[in-house]
Amino acid sequence: MTGLRTLSAAMALGAAAVSLPAAANASYEAAFLDAFRNACVPERRSYRRTLANVRALGWHPAAKSENDELRAVVELANKAMAEDAGPDWLLEMSAYEQVVAGRLNYLVVSRIVAPRIVRLVSCGLYDFDATDAIDPQPVSDFLGIPIERSRRDKG
């Protein structure tokens, strides 16, 4: 997945996890972070309410197969569930698209329910055409936690 930029939040029991690979200029980075914050954070503990929030913000449903990288993200999640999930586990995943500061971005909202183990809601924002890494400091500032580690993929 060359040039992947993603920002995702997984909320389980109120804890947030944010990961990112790639960016362009400061104004786009700010718009990208704002899009994530507006779409993923307000209803982060509820899959259904996150979907309603995303639609209210004007995100449009995207076919999970319309973009090679989006399809790869979905396939990775499905493969992990097939290999590691218990028979009563559930994965729901919805994909959306919207232009953010002139660039097409994809949003993937998912829910994993593993009875008696975890209920997890995840929301990831992707810019598959990005060529540079996003500055992690604004994300760290937004979350209020220091950067502990980072990873840069070579494509």
Side-chain angles (χ1 to χ4, degrees):
M1 286 184 239
T2 305
L4 167 69
R5 171 184 297 118
T6 180
L7 185 57
S8 67
M11 308 315 168
L13 306 172
V18 175
S19 67
L20 34 150
N25 60 52
S27 65
Y28 176 71
E29 287 185 8
F32 186 80
L33 181 56
D34 284 345
F36 168 78
R37 182 182 359 236
N38 294 333
C40 296
V41 175
E43 299 294 344
R44 66 188 170 274
R45 294 183 181 179
S46 168
Y47 178 71
R48 298 279 177 232
R49 287 193 311 264
T50 296
L51 294 180
N53 181 54
V54 164
R55 289 188 297 267
L57 291 170
W59 288 84
H60 303 285
K64 295 173 194 164
S65 62
E66 77 177 40
N67 175 288
D68 290 341
E69 287 88 354
L70 179 60
R71 184 173 42 257
V73 167
V74 171
E75 287 173 358
L76 282 172
N78 288 334
K79 181 180 178 198
M81 283 294 286
E83 293 173 355
D84 299 326
D88 57 347
W89 288 25
L90 168 73
L91 169 65
E92 288 183 272
M93 196 177 315
S94 298
Y96 294 86
E97 63 184 19
Q98 188 175 69
V99 173
V100 175
R103 298 173 63 123
L104 181 61
N105 283 209
Y106 292 92
L107 189 71
V108 177
V109 182
S110 61
R111 171 172 74 164
I112 296 174
V113 177
R116 298 173 303 283
I117 299 171
V118 71
R119 290 178 179 270
L120 176 74
V121 176
S122 176
C123 185
L125 178 61
Y126 299 86
D127 177 349
F128 295 118
D129 294 324
T131 57
D132 298 314
I134 192 168
D135 180 4
Q137 192 58 55
V139 177
S140 179
D141 294 345
F142 161 62
L143 293 174
I145 57 174
I147 300 166
E148 290 188 23
R149 66 181 167 180
S150 64
R151 175 181 164 182
R152 180 156 182 136
D153 292 333
K154 294 183 178 160

